[in-house]
């Protein structure tokens, strides 16, 4: 019996194309939301040399003993992203449910991409379904990775 690989990669989440301010958020509102949703997060701000803007670095506990780290940039009104670093599809799916259901002001305002897909030439983020559980989104993100895992 073949076993499924548990690929670790980076996942990025974005507002809809052409609507960079659709989340109506700032780094401060994201920081507050992370602090309210996850116990004892580690959060810091720094100047990104790549994007020439202030970004928020964070580490959160998604579930007992399951920590993920990421970086976010939000400059209203036109630019936003949140990237999770070195995560599984299940971890990214759990975060995506929180982002979609608790942070974005409407469930149809989140797109995703992975560094594995980008490394294989796919640079267009896909819409995150407006519904679905952590398991559903984990399955979706696993299928996404499988399509680019040559």
């Amino acid at each position: 019996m073949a076993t499924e690989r548990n690929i670790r990669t980076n996942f990025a989440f974005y507002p809809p194309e052409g609507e960079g301010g659709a989340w109506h958020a700032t780094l401060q509102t994201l920081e507050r939301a992370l602090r309210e949703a996850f116990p004892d997060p580690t959060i810091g701000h720094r100047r990104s040399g790549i994007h020439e803007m202030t970004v928020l670095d964070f580490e959160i506990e998604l579930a007992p003993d399951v920590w993920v780290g990421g970086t976010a940039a939000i400059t209203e009104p036109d630019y936003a992203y949140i990237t999770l670093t070195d995560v599984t599809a299940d971890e990214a799916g759990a975060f995506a449910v929180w982002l979609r259901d608790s942070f974005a002001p409407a469930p149809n305002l989140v797109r995703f991409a992975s560094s594995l897909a980008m490394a294989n030439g796919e640079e267009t983020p896909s819409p995150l379904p407006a519904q679905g559980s952590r398991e559903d989104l984990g399955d979706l993100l696993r299928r996404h990775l499988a399509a680019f895992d040559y």
Side-chain angles (χ1 to χ4, degrees), residues 25-99:
T26 64
L27 290 180
Q28 291 73 28
T29 59
L30 176 60
E31 179 177 348
R32 186 172 38 254
L34 290 169
R35 289 187 187 285
E36 290 173 2
F38 302 99
D40 300 319
T42 301
I43 296 176
H45 296 262
R46 66 177 168 85
R47 185 87 177 149
S48 169
I50 296 171
H51 299 291
E52 297 298 324
M53 65 179 68
T54 300
V55 296
L56 182 139
D57 293 323
F58 62 90
E59 187 175 29
I60 56 172
E61 189 175 24
L62 280 176
D65 297 321
V66 178
W67 290 85
V68 299
T71 299
I74 302 174
T75 56
E76 279 207 282
D78 60 354
Y79 185 74
Y81 74 83
I82 299 173
T83 301
L84 300 180
T85 307
D86 193 33
V87 294
T88 66
D90 289 327
E91 292 163 350
F95 181 84
V97 167
W98 172 80
L99 179 65

